[in-house]
Amino acid sequence: MTNASAPPSRLRRIVAELAKFGAVGGAGVLVNMAAYNLVRHFTSLAYVRASVIATIISIVFNYIGFRYFTYRDRDKSGRKRELGLFAFFSAIGLVIENGVLYAGTYGLGFDTPLQTNVVKFCGIGVATLFRFWSYRSWVFRALPPKDQEAVREVTAAVREAEAVFTHPGGHHGPYGAPHRAPQPSPVVAHHTPAAERQGQGRHRKPRRVHVD
């Protein structure tokens, strides 16, 4: 039987990471598209300039989501390095995203509001693939195996402490498994031969004496 506390397989970790990345990225796409259309509606900026402003807003939103949700268990020791790399790779993603918009708008003539939104969405999709690879590989680094083991030990200790507070009636072992207090062994009375003979003497019937 597989231990429930064992670390998940690599495939399961990647699937979970993709799900979290997709959740934050999906919300970032909504922020990006909403900001783009608001800037276009309330200003006279060109398509690409409005898109650049919207992309910067979504980058800030995405960093908060990635740092504190998707990659909250990753290395936090070099925050300045992390911010620098995030800004660097996000700038490349910005160029990819808005380069697609520029090519579609001014190169292919897709300049209606609906067409620019579709082209921008495609640019976001292409840039997202690059961001996923760069963020997980360079920005939010995985902890070394020793640190991962330490994190698992701390997590197990926290679970044990929670189990103790949840079940205050007894001690709990690792992962909240209750320990039963040892029960005293039953006392068995041992009969010695002398005691057996004495007991037999007590139950022996008195002999009758015949007088002639």
Side-chain angles (χ1 to χ4, degrees), residues 65-137:
F66 291 145
R67 175 70 276 176
Y68 297 103
F69 178 67
T70 305
Y71 299 111
R72 65 178 182 271
D73 57 342
R74 296 293 180 93
D75 185 14
K76 302 181 181 68
S77 59
R79 187 56 60 90
K80 291 182 179 180
R81 174 186 177 277
E82 176 184 290
L83 285 171
L85 288 174
F86 183 84
F88 173 73
F89 288 112
S90 295
I92 297 177
L94 183 149
V95 172
I96 294 173
E97 175 184 333
N98 293 283
V100 173
L101 178 63
Y102 181 88
T105 302
Y106 300 104
L108 301 177
F110 298 146
D111 55 0
T112 66
L114 177 60
Q115 289 174 338
T116 56
N117 276 276
V118 172
V119 174
K120 179 173 174 59
F121 185 81
C122 294
I124 292 174
V126 176
T128 298
L129 296 177
F130 169 78
R131 288 168 180 151
F132 177 72
W133 168 80
S134 61
Y135 291 166
R136 74 184 305 269
S137 301

Side-chain angles (χ1 to χ4, degrees), residues 198-205:
Q198 184 179 0
Q200 292 175 0
R202 291 178 181 176
H203 299 287
R204 185 178 299 173
K205 293 182 180 181

